[in-house]
Amino acid sequence: SCSTSQYLAHAAKCIADETNRVRSYMDLVSEGPLLKVCRTELLLNHHTTLFNNINSGCQFLLQNDRNEDLQRMYQLFHQVDCLEPMASIVERHIKSMGQLILKKREAAVREKTDKASDPTFVDALLDLHSKYAQLIKEAFGSHSSFQKAMKSAFDVIINKNVPKATLTTAEMLGAYCDRLLKTGYGDTVSDEQIESKLKDIVQLFSYLQDKDFFAEIHKNYLAKRLLNSRSKSDDLEKSMIGHLKIECGSQFTQP
C-alpha cells in the first residue's frame, strides 16, 4: 500500500495522461465527462481514506510541514469540489497548535513568570498566524474555505481565557504594542519592521470579541507614552490608529 502523497502524485499523473489521450484521440466534447469519471474514481470515491490516513493523511502532512503535498491535495480535490473535509482538518490542526501555546502560558502562570513585559506568548501567536496565513495563500490559493477555517480557529484561540492568568489576551496584545511603540525598543529595529509587526498585531486584534477593551488599553498606553515623551515615532502612532480605524471603524479611535 502507498502513502496518501504517493497516491495523489499517481492520481495527478493518471489525470494528466488521460487528459492528453482525450485531446489526442477523441472529440473535445468527450473531455469533460471522461475526466469527471476519472476524477470521481481516483479521488472522490477515496477522499475519506486519503484525508484521514493516520500515517500519511492531511493531519500528518500539516504536522510535518509537507506543503507541496498539501498543495497537490488542495489542487486535486478542488477539481472535484471536495475541500470542506480538508478545511475542517486544517481548522482542527490550527486550534491544536494554538492550544499548545495556551498550555505553555498556563505553565508560565503557574510558575509566576507570566508578565505583560514578556513577549513570548504574543510572539508565539504571531508566528502561528503568519505560518498558516502563508500556507493558505501559497498552498491553498487563498480559498475561502481555508480562510474561514483559519478565522474559526483563531476566534477560539484568541478569546480563550488562560486559567488563573491576571492578564487577558487583549491586555497582552496592548502591552506588546506599547513595547513596539515606545522609545528604547530595539534601536536596531527599523520603523518598517515595527510597522510590519503592528499590522500583524492588528490581525490578531481582529479576532478579539471585546475590541472595546483593547481600544481602551491602547488609548491608556498611548496617553502614557505621550505624557512621558516616550513615543518612538508620530508616524508609527498614526499608522497604528489608522490600522485600528480600518479594522474596526472610527469609533475605536475616538477619545
Side-chain angles (χ1 to χ4, degrees), residues 42-245:
L42 287 168
L43 300 168
L44 210 51
N45 292 350
H46 305 285
H47 79 272
T48 304
T49 307
L50 291 167
F51 285 146
N52 297 326
N53 188 314
I54 294 169
N55 298 315
S56 66
C58 187
Q59 174 68 20
F60 172 87
L61 298 178
L62 287 162
Q63 283 172 332
N64 292 279
D65 297 323
R66 299 272 290 272
N67 292 3
E68 278 185 36
D69 291 326
L70 285 163
Q71 184 175 32
R72 182 183 288 118
M73 181 179 272
Y74 161 75
Q75 288 169 342
L76 287 170
F77 282 99
H78 194 12
Q79 293 171 12
V80 291
D81 196 21
C82 183
L83 291 175
E84 288 306 320
M86 187 180 173
S88 294
I89 295 167
V90 170
E91 181 181 334
R92 283 200 304 275
H93 177 72
I94 297 172
K95 275 183 191 165
S96 70
M97 294 294 99
Q99 196 60 41
L100 291 177
I101 294 169
L102 293 166
K103 288 276 181 204
K104 281 186 183 174
R105 190 172 170 216
E106 275 183 44
V109 169
R110 281 196 304 273
E111 291 156 17
K112 297 189 167 43
T113 57
D114 185 58
K115 299 182 181 75
S117 58
D118 184 355
T120 307
F121 173 63
V122 176
D123 275 335
L125 291 176
L126 288 169
D127 288 345
L128 184 70
H129 193 275
S130 172
K131 177 178 180 174
Y132 289 101
Q134 188 175 358
L135 177 73
I136 287 165
K137 182 182 175 186
E138 293 177 3
F140 306 150
S142 298
H143 190 282
S144 59
S145 292
F146 295 95
Q147 289 184 334
K148 189 176 152 198
M150 176 138 155
K151 183 182 183 309
S152 296
F154 269 89
D155 280 343
V156 171
I157 296 162
I158 296 294
N159 293 294
K160 196 167 176 62
N161 291 323
V162 173
K164 296 181 181 173
T166 55
L167 298 161
T168 64
T169 299
E171 287 169 310
M172 295 295 271
L173 291 175
Y176 192 94
C177 280
D178 181 54
R179 188 167 155 271
L180 290 176
L181 291 164
K182 207 157 49 176
T183 52
Y185 171 69
D187 294 329
T188 55
V189 182
S190 69
D191 281 8
E192 286 77 20
Q193 286 169 305
I194 294 172
E195 170 66 26
S196 176
K197 280 267 191 200
L198 291 174
K199 280 184 184 170
D200 293 342
I201 283 285
V202 171
Q203 282 192 306
L204 293 185
F205 160 75
S206 72
Y207 301 109
L208 275 174
Q209 285 166 356
D210 196 351
K211 292 182 172 67
D212 287 334
F213 184 45
F214 177 87
E216 278 306 311
I217 294 163
H218 183 71
K219 283 178 200 170
N220 290 338
Y221 275 124
L222 172 60
K224 283 179 190 169
R225 285 194 298 275
L226 297 176
L227 211 61
N228 299 317
S229 302
R230 291 290 309 276
S231 179
K232 189 178 179 75
S233 151
D234 281 352
D235 287 343
L236 285 171
E237 297 286 6
K238 285 174 188 168
S239 176
M240 182 61 182
I241 289 168
H243 291 318
L244 293 175
K245 273 186 181 174

